[in-house]
Amino acid sequence: FALLNPGYGEPVFSQKGLCTTIAWRLGDDQAVAFALEGSIAIAGAGVAWLRDNLGIIKDAAEVEAKASAVPDSGGVTFVPAFSGLFAPRWRPDARGVIVGLTQHSNANHICRALLDAICFQTKDVLDAMNFDMNFSAATAAEADSTNGGNQTQSRSIKCLRVDGGASANGLLMQTQADVLGVNVARPGNVETTALGAALAAGVGARLWSSSDIFAKELGEEGDDEETVFACTTDAETRQEKYEKWADAVERSLGLA
């Protein structure tokens, strides 16, 4: 899943199939921070499927080595819609498809195509977030302009910050940066979700304050153990690959 914090204030309600949720509230006297959330049905579970159902990898960590053994997916596109598609499409009638197979396709190409699929699903969610962020800002600016306010500027996500087990896969992170066209930043401690929950609980229990949590000076570069994966693709290449993904998604619809 991906979360976007659009800032404090009123919650943002999606126009593109995302969910509005509460991000945090660090203390009884603090403002509530809301977020937009997009969930992907199959990511790590797809790797488990390669292991348990197809038997082409022995453990989850092997998927990176196999996918790295080929320069790309060889034209194979994998839409792992085993239980339908979640955000932003919400299509329960979708089912998994693998298209573009040739006589030369092998297990390495399928592993690579699965990693690509995780990245393209993430792009779908982040594209919806970018739209909602600007739609909300434009709506607020329109209301403000009637009172003599200024027009807002377009905003977009400049960096994707990741955590969790999948983020340990360096090829997946580089592919994600290349699909999105923005940097992907992985912290030194990839269990950020658990850490954040523990820190928030500590604030609630009055063991420390929110200012204590953010007291460490990280500078503009953030975590000093952070790994940044920079985009290496051009816009034309990204668009061409995404169109192939979108075409495969269309083929997955209406199969249930």
Side-chain angles (χ1 to χ4, degrees):
F1 61 89
L3 289 167
L4 171 70
N5 176 9
Y8 290 97
E10 295 297 319
V12 173
F13 295 100
S14 178
Q15 306 296 310
K16 289 288 186 178
L18 302 177
C19 300
T20 301
T21 186
I22 294 176
W24 64 75
R25 184 183 182 189
L26 298 177
D28 294 338
D29 59 341
Q30 300 296 310
V32 175
F34 295 95
L36 285 171
E37 179 179 1
S39 298
I40 296 170
I42 301 295
V47 177
W49 183 78
L50 296 181
R51 179 193 64 204
D52 301 335
N53 294 53
L54 295 191
I56 61 177
I57 57 174
K58 294 180 180 178
D59 57 67
E62 189 181 351
V63 72
E64 181 176 9
K66 279 191 168 292
S68 298
V70 290
D72 52 44
S73 68
V76 176
T77 304
F78 186 0
V79 182
F82 300 143
S83 55
L85 292 170
F86 284 14
R89 288 183 170 85
W90 299 110
R91 291 295 299 264
D93 61 319
R95 287 297 179 267
V97 298
I98 299 176
V99 299
L101 292 169
T102 71
Q103 187 177 1
H104 303 289
S105 303
N106 58 41
N108 297 335
H109 293 112
I110 294 176
C111 288
R112 186 74 178 236
L114 176 63
L115 298 188
D116 289 347
I118 295 171
C119 297
F120 283 123
Q121 290 178 97
T122 302
K123 172 177 167 55
D124 284 337
V125 169
L126 265 62
D127 283 351
M129 287 179 170
N130 278 326
F131 179 91
D132 284 335
M133 183 165 54
N134 284 293
F135 181 86
S136 175
T139 301
E142 182 179 357
D144 189 46
S145 66
T146 62
N147 298 318
N150 296 323
Q151 294 294 322
T152 186
Q153 294 183 342
S154 176
R155 299 183 296 172
S156 63
I157 296 170
K158 304 299 183 185
C159 178
L160 176 66
R161 299 194 176 277
V162 299
D163 72 333
S167 67
N169 186 322
L171 176 60
L172 177 63
M173 297 298 97
Q174 184 59 58
T175 303
Q176 188 68 83
D178 291 341
V179 165
L180 294 175
V182 301
N183 289 351
V184 172
R186 180 178 65 194
N189 176 10
V190 298
E191 298 303 330
T192 308
T193 302
L195 175 61
L199 291 173
V203 172
R206 302 185 186 280
L207 298 177
W208 46 71
S209 68
S210 58
S211 59
D212 293 331
I213 295 176
F214 303 110
K216 182 181 178 182
E217 294 184 4
L218 298 177
E220 292 184 358
E221 299 301 319
D223 185 354
D224 52 10
E225 297 182 0
E226 181 178 78
T227 302
V228 177
F229 299 85
C231 174
T232 62
T233 57
D234 57 64
E236 183 178 354
T237 299
R238 292 195 296 272
Q239 183 61 27
E240 179 182 340
K241 290 185 176 181
Y242 181 76
E243 287 176 359
K244 290 183 178 179
W245 160 257
D247 178 72
V249 168
E250 289 299 313
R251 297 169 189 268
S252 77
L253 304 179
L255 297 180

